[in-house]
Amino acid sequence: MAVRIEESWKEVLVDEFEKPYFKSLISFVKEEYNKGTVYPKGADIFRAFDACPFDEVKVVILGQDPYHGPGQANGLCFSVHEGIPFPPSLVNIFKELKNDLGLEIPPNGSLERWANQGVLLLNSTLTVRAHQAGSHQKKGWEEFTDAVISQLASRKKDVVYILWGSYAQKKGAIVNVNDNCVLKSPHPSPLSAHRGFFGCGHFSKANAYLEGRGLPTINW
């Protein structure tokens, strides 16, 4: 199956694209886009991969669903288009960034600047029906993104995995903690951020790990 995705990822995931579940998934997604409003726009479904080629991955941040409000989802987990108000979880991410590294709140919520430095901003489910959180769960995306993590875990070492919340931690359980840096905390959602997300120091810890292995750090 021809999938429009960055070339290095296409090579790594080529077998996945031919599996029955993936073909069923693509049929479902195409039908959903034809029937109504789905986020992100079609060209951004694989944007996390297009912005961060396989060979350049230094950090992986796992999200769950794309944002389901108008104009928010841009294909990168936790990120929104420029000019869109920051969702609550992103507000808390920027608060922790300031607490951890002293960085001021950025002027916009696009995290593409992170992706371009080797941060894979991967949602577990890559599409969602407008205003219906979780509407594209259990259709095949989770199996696909599990395969992405499996390929990373088996082919690359010295990667930082940032796992916020129990969902991300279960999904990232396959990662070998002896070969990589696995950082865990509660989710940045307002419901849980005060239970340990604030003060987790994941941004400085990620850079300390990369620097300790002679790798370029992330300009968060």
Side-chain angles (χ1 to χ4, degrees):
M1 174 177 284
V3 175
R4 292 181 184 175
I5 193 170
E6 193 274 333
E7 283 301 317
S8 64
W9 283 106
K10 182 178 285 189
E11 184 177 332
V12 168
L13 298 168
V14 62
D15 292 343
E16 219 60 32
F17 299 142
E18 299 304 321
K19 292 181 179 179
Y21 88 85
F22 191 83
K23 294 180 179 181
S24 297
L25 168 63
I26 295 304
S27 295
F28 165 77
V29 169
K30 285 180 177 177
E31 186 178 348
E32 287 285 285
Y33 275 92
N34 288 333
K35 286 194 308 186
T37 302
V38 174
Y39 299 124
K41 65 182 182 181
D44 285 342
I45 293 175
F46 294 111
R47 189 173 173 201
F49 305 93
D50 297 335
C52 182
F54 182 85
D55 294 337
E56 297 176 19
V57 175
K58 299 199 289 281
V59 178
V60 179
I61 298 179
L62 292 182
Q64 192 164 354
D65 258 17
Y67 296 121
H68 55 83
Q72 291 181 308
N74 65 6
L76 308 175
C77 73
F78 296 108
S79 174
V80 292
H81 287 291
E82 293 186 25
I84 298 294
F86 301 167
S89 290
L90 187 58
V91 169
N92 287 340
I93 288 169
F94 288 151
K95 283 181 181 177
E96 174 57 22
L97 198 54
K98 186 172 184 178
N99 293 338
D100 187 11
L101 295 174
L103 300 177
E104 291 303 317
I105 305 299
N108 67 73
S110 172
L111 302 180
E112 189 157 15
R113 60 189 178 278
W114 295 1
N116 291 336
Q117 298 177 74
V119 181
L120 180 66
L121 295 161
L122 181 65
N123 274 317
S124 178
T125 303
L126 300 188
T127 55
V128 68
R129 208 174 294 149
H131 309 298
Q132 296 184 44
S135 50
H136 285 190
Q137 290 179 3
K138 300 180 181 176
K139 301 295 183 182
W141 279 130
E142 294 92 341
E143 187 170 346
F144 174 71
T145 51
D146 280 349
V148 171
I149 296 167
S150 178
Q151 289 290 348
L152 283 166
S154 63
R155 294 179 184 229
K156 292 178 73 77
K157 293 183 179 181
D158 298 333
V159 173
V160 179
Y161 291 83
I162 296 179
L163 309 178
W164 293 328
S166 59
Y167 184 91
Q169 289 162 25
K170 288 175 186 172
K171 196 169 183 71
I174 188 176
V175 177
N176 186 330
V177 297
N178 296 316
D179 293 334
N180 303 278
C181 175
V182 179
L183 302 174
K184 300 178 183 180
S185 82
H187 195 276
S189 159
L191 298 174
S192 56
H194 291 280
R195 297 204 297 265
F197 173 76
F198 290 133
C200 69
H202 282 179
F203 303 104
S204 59
K205 289 175 182 175
N207 276 351
Y209 179 85
L210 293 171
E211 187 174 14
R213 276 148 186 78
L215 298 170
T217 57
I218 305 299
N219 180 12
W220 298 106

